[in-house]
Amino acid sequence: MAELPVDMIYGSALYQAAVDLNKEEALLEEAEGLVAVFRDHPELAGLLRNPTVSALEKKQLIRDVFEGRISLEMLTFLSVLGDKRRGRHFERSVRVYKQLMDKAQGISYGKIQSVRPLSGERIREFEEQAGNLLKTRVALENEVDASLLGGVKIFVNGKVFDASVRTRLLELGNTIK
């Protein structure tokens, strides 16, 4: 939990810089591309996270590998992370950046539980329905929960929409009692 503020600080700083430059989409796309590069090349990510590699060596490595391939803003951001020995926070900072951007665009994230995985089309239908109820754009992540017996349960912004068979059976049982 102690790392959360660091992620928030760096993710927020990157997002604010992007807003100031009117490059929110471009920098997010670039950052997500770098996350993929670091996942595909764990040895590179490991060097940036390694506490025994000096900040100067990290900055030089970043310049050698990425200069001319990424924007000056992203190169500077990576250099700052390397200089401050915060390389391990890059991916989580990008996640914070995306959340801030989504919030600015009015997108709320949630999850939808179902007995079986839902198709992309079915998830979009539920996103639209939940969005209409909440008066916001909703993006849902599907989670399988066999205990529901059937139906779905949606969690967005602290609200629960429970249309599961299990809940209906429990309510019916309570009504009969």
Side-chain angles (χ1 to χ4, degrees):
M1 267 323 217
E3 296 179 7
L4 181 62
V6 172
D7 304 337
M8 288 295 294
I9 290 166
Y10 286 94
S12 297
L14 180 60
Y15 179 70
Q16 191 56 55
V19 168
D20 292 346
L21 297 167
N22 198 26
K23 291 185 169 184
E24 299 96 331
E25 291 286 339
L27 286 178
L28 176 62
E29 186 176 315
E30 192 171 38
E32 289 178 333
L34 284 169
V35 167
V37 166
F38 291 139
R39 283 186 183 156
D40 292 344
H41 301 281
E43 66 284 353
L44 178 61
L47 284 171
L48 294 176
R49 293 179 181 134
N50 189 335
T52 62
V53 177
S54 75
L56 187 61
E57 290 173 308
K58 287 179 185 180
K59 286 171 77 169
Q60 186 61 48
L61 173 70
I62 289 165
R63 271 197 306 275
D64 291 346
V65 173
F66 295 112
E67 195 167 38
R69 296 179 180 180
I70 62 175
S71 67
L72 179 60
E73 295 83 14
M74 191 57 65
L75 188 67
T76 302
F77 182 69
L78 286 175
S79 293
V80 168
L81 289 177
D83 196 34
K84 301 291 184 182
R85 299 188 177 276
R86 302 288 196 204
R88 70 179 190 273
H89 294 275
F90 178 72
E91 187 172 346
R92 292 185 305 256
S93 296
V94 171
R95 198 173 309 130
V96 167
Y97 177 107
K98 180 159 178 33
Q99 290 169 350
L100 291 169
M101 190 169 135
D102 289 344
K103 184 177 181 182
Q105 295 176 346
I107 299 173
S108 295
Y109 283 92
K111 66 180 175 182
I112 181 168
Q113 294 178 334
S114 58
V115 175
R116 281 183 246 102
L118 298 172
S119 69
E121 183 180 323
R122 194 72 176 121
I123 291 172
R124 281 187 291 285
E125 289 172 8
F126 282 114
E127 287 172 341
E128 187 176 326
Q129 291 171 3
N132 289 339
L133 288 170
L134 296 171
K135 306 286 189 250
T136 186
R137 289 174 36 202
V138 174
L140 296 172
E141 182 180 331
N142 191 204
E143 188 176 276
V144 175
D145 181 356
S147 72
L148 296 177
L149 304 176
V152 296
K153 204 178 215 183
I154 300 174
F155 303 87
V156 180
N157 290 345
K159 293 180 176 47
V160 179
F161 302 98
D162 193 342
S164 66
V165 171
R166 178 185 175 147
T167 298
R168 289 184 183 170
L169 289 173
L170 289 171
E171 289 171 354
L172 180 62
N174 288 337
T175 301
I176 292 172
K177 287 180 185 177

